[in-house]
Amino acid sequence: MAQKVKLSTIAETLGVSTATVSLALRDSPLVALSTRDRIKEQARALGYIYNRRAASLRTSRSGIIGVVVHDIMNPFYGEILKSIESELDRDRQTFILSNHYDSVEKQRNFIETLLQLGGDGVIMSPAIGTPPEDILLAEDNGMPAILIARSIDGLDVPIFRGDDTYGISLATNHLIGLGHRVIAMVGGTDQTSTGRDRYQGYVNALRKANIEVDPALRIPGPRSKQGGFEAAVNFLSLPQKPTAAVCWNDLVAIGLMNGIARAGLVPGRDVSVTGYDDLEEASIATPSLTTVWNGQSEVGRSAARALLDKLSGSHEPDGIHLIKPEMRIRQSTGPLRHNGHDH
Amino acid sequence: MAQKVKLSTIAETLGVSTATVSLALRDSPLVALSTRDRIKEQARALGYIYNRRAASLRTSRSGIIGVVVHDIMNPFYGEILKSIESELDRDRQTFILSNHYDSVEKQRNFIETLLQLGGDGVIMSPAIGTPPEDILLAEDNGMPAILIARSIDGLDVPIFRGDDTYGISLATNHLIGLGHRVIAMVGGTDQTSTGRDRYQGYVNALRKANIEVDPALRIPGPRSKQGGFEAAVNFLSLPQKPTAAVCWNDLVAIGLMNGIARAGLVPGRDVSVTGYDDLEEASIATPSLTTVWNGQSEVGRSAARALLDKLSGSHEPDGIHLIKPEMRIRQSTGPLRHNGHDH
DNA sequence: ATAGTTTAAATAAACGATTTAAACGACCTG
DNA sequence: CAGGTCGTTTAAATCGTTTATTTAAACTAT
């Protein structure tokens, strides 16, 4: 490796000061145009590489933004991340990604690392049980946080997420409209705000239609394809013989449909299934999945935008921002058939 | 935000020098044990946050490792990333992730950013058409690179990947063993080393079984679930009426099966389908997918390990490292049925 | 010509850590 | 008691930028 090229290398070979070089490379009008060109040309010729840690030590702006979610391999977060990425790219910000797998400790480690690196801000979907202090740690050290997808009680930090209560009621109403009366809810957990909101939305819809809410029709837990697949056994052996399932998300729904198919029943005909999120995959599943679009791209885009705005001081995006979900009707739901699915 | 706490803050409140504090916090035996304890306690009490950019400016080691792949949302890379993550975590290295979506330019930007941040090393699955210079840019600036999954010709950099030629021949042989003679190959591209290797493996297996290779049985292109789904139409209208398909990867295979099912045929009975990679999803697909395990976890783990070893100077992992793939037989393949799949 | 402006470049002090050589005191030892 | 050793601490240089302040040169206007 050749000797490292720095500002002073350029300065010396050109007989100017490092200050001039620094200014010139950032196109400051304080430097004469001709000098600027000469300097830039020389920088290129020498293969100069800007040292951001030296710069940020001085300026205390690193251009680094952290993003931490439950699991980046989960396509729901994947779609959010994609839109965050494209928004941050536009502003030439580097983003550091991490999973917390719902471990508060792993999440705290990440925040600490980010602080050490001088991160400018952080976008996060907080781990289950995140204490407000962990977020305050970031804020108190000058690193603003924006929440996505999940809320934390007792914390005044901007948050962007879908309107879960409303969204799940859309799905439930759709099934009720098709004549279903025994509707199970598969997956999710009461430990997150999202989990509580979705269950509430389901309950609300049933009540409004004068259908009695039977807690035994709730199969909590599953949040993945694998989970939905395994829940099928459980679902099919419910004594109430549900004719439809409102699932926690698309993954659970697809897994559940696979499980149902494995048992010899036809999802969409014998049992109606709804998903949630409207992942790309929903439309190519067999049968294609009736689901609720949860505004992933919108959530990611606005959260990133909000953070950038906050950093540039243009305005404070405080409070909660709800994205309105939309129904997507496909083949996995159909009218109630009176012969049911006796097996 | 309270006044920022730095080494000198601790030093002053304790009446020692910053040198002592620096040494103490890193547990140097040069500092008396009692002093060390006093200092660490004070650091905690004041909420001191280590400033890595200041440190790395001096030491030129940042603790940052870059990882760039085609698309982190692709579960194949996801599984690799997961094992890289856990290996790097163990060494308390921060990793910065990026997609290049096969854009050489995006990839170069990433490498440049990483250099600016003083990245210690980079693990990458190079974009299609990556010129060797782009990798050398990293190496020449003291940032060693390790390749995964894809090779680049004319470059002497360690690489870890599955043995594609061998792996795909396993799948092809499996189908031949079941009696199939008209076997299509769906997906992939000749633009990557992987693509060429897999096609070669397929051709080799057919030749060895004295089956004529018909180039028209190759449907190149698809690499995603969506792609496989769309390729089904194409596949089903081939005049040769193939009874089996060797797919580029699990995603294509699952998409293809969905497409086949949509056309009223039963994958695994009317048409045999093999995948490649053995993603978690393969076993819960309907029907469960016969596929080839491609050693993702192994690739990720060893690549990360190799980089860490190289950084610590313990040893150079030069050359190519091939992971041996293994067959996973499930429900999506079955013996040739002589009534075929006329439709 | 002279004072006053403008423009261009240079000087030097940060930023917050690490590290090396030197200082210091206490404690031997012959 | 001069000199050496050992354990602990520190002063000062350094890493590569940015930026406020100075300085120098070049115009302008009177």
Side-chain angles (χ1 to χ4, degrees), chain B residues 6-7 22 26 48 50 54 58:
Chain B
K6 38 186 166 175
L7 284 191
S22 170
R26 280 169 303 145
Y48 170 69
Y50 180 64
R58 180 63 223 257

Side-chain angles (χ1 to χ4, degrees), chain A residues 143-206:
Chain A
M143 187 170 76
I146 303 269
L147 265 35
I148 50 176
R150 295 178 183 171
S151 314
I152 295 183
D153 288 339
L155 202 62
D156 188 26
V157 156
I159 162 160
F160 293 80
R161 60 179 183 81
D163 186 340
D164 292 297
T165 314
Y166 172 73
I168 213 82
S169 74
L170 285 180
T172 314
N173 285 336
H174 166 71
L175 291 170
I176 294 172
L178 287 169
H180 297 276
R181 287 296 172 273
V182 190
I183 303 174
M185 169 142 199
V186 180
T189 161
D190 261 349
Q191 296 172 278
T192 61
S193 58
T194 316
R196 291 184 293 272
D197 289 348
R198 293 206 187 154
Y199 184 60
Q200 195 54 54
Y202 159 81
V203 168
N204 289 352
L206 291 181

Side-chain angles (χ1 to χ4, degrees), chain A residues 65-86:
Chain A
I65 285 182
V67 183
V68 54
V69 299
H70 174 268
D71 182 2
I72 61 172
M73 276 181 64
N74 180 320
F76 168 69
Y77 288 114
E79 293 184 6
I80 292 185
L81 293 178
K82 207 162 248 175
S83 69
I84 292 182
E85 178 187 31
S86 70

